[in-house]
Amino acid sequence: MVDDETRDRMQALEQRLAAARKAQDPKPRTDEHYSMANMAWRMVTELVAGLLIGFGIGYGLDTVLGTMPIFLVIFVLLGLAAGINVMLRTAKEIGAEATDAPPKTKED
């Protein structure tokens, strides 16, 4: 059986250990919070990636089928539309993070 003095000392020791552990906890990483410039580069990269993928698919189809400008134009425009769609989704995510609200979907 443990007497009251020992119990009090053990509780004081546990409190000091908890305070020491809390002081040793790693600080939250600040580099996970992206700046607006990083977000802008992300959006530009998404747009350019959509254009390049559309260009590659269109050029490849035109080369294989021998119809040079048709598929190139169609898929570059589709790539542009896809890039803009991804950019808008990213902008919606940024806006939702800024207001700490979930992003709205089509059902909302």
Side-chain angles (χ1 to χ4, degrees):
M1 204 147 111
V2 179
D3 61 351
D4 290 335
E5 182 183 336
T6 307
R7 185 176 299 128
D8 292 340
R9 285 180 32 205
M10 291 298 289
Q11 286 178 350
L13 177 62
E14 287 178 10
Q15 289 174 354
R16 287 189 307 193
L17 285 173
R21 285 188 187 121
K22 187 176 181 181
Q24 294 295 326
D25 283 345
K27 303 286 187 260
R29 294 181 56 180
T30 56
D31 60 345
E32 291 178 4
H33 301 287
Y34 300 112
S35 68
M36 285 298 151
N38 288 342
M39 290 297 182
W41 275 112
R42 174 183 168 188
M43 293 171 80
V44 168
T45 303
E46 291 168 346
L47 178 65
V48 171
L51 283 170
L52 289 176
I53 291 171
F55 178 81
I57 292 171
Y59 185 78
L61 285 174
D62 279 335
T63 302
V64 169
L65 300 176
T67 57
M68 198 43 164
I70 297 171
F71 289 113
L72 180 67
V73 171
I74 290 171
F75 279 95
V76 165
L77 291 176
L78 287 175
L80 177 66
I84 291 173
N85 187 17
V86 173
M87 281 179 56
L88 290 174
R89 194 174 325 137
T90 301
K92 195 180 294 184
E93 287 176 15
I94 293 169
E97 288 175 5
T99 61
D100 291 327
K104 290 186 177 183
T105 59
K106 290 182 181 178
E107 292 84 27
D108 289 343

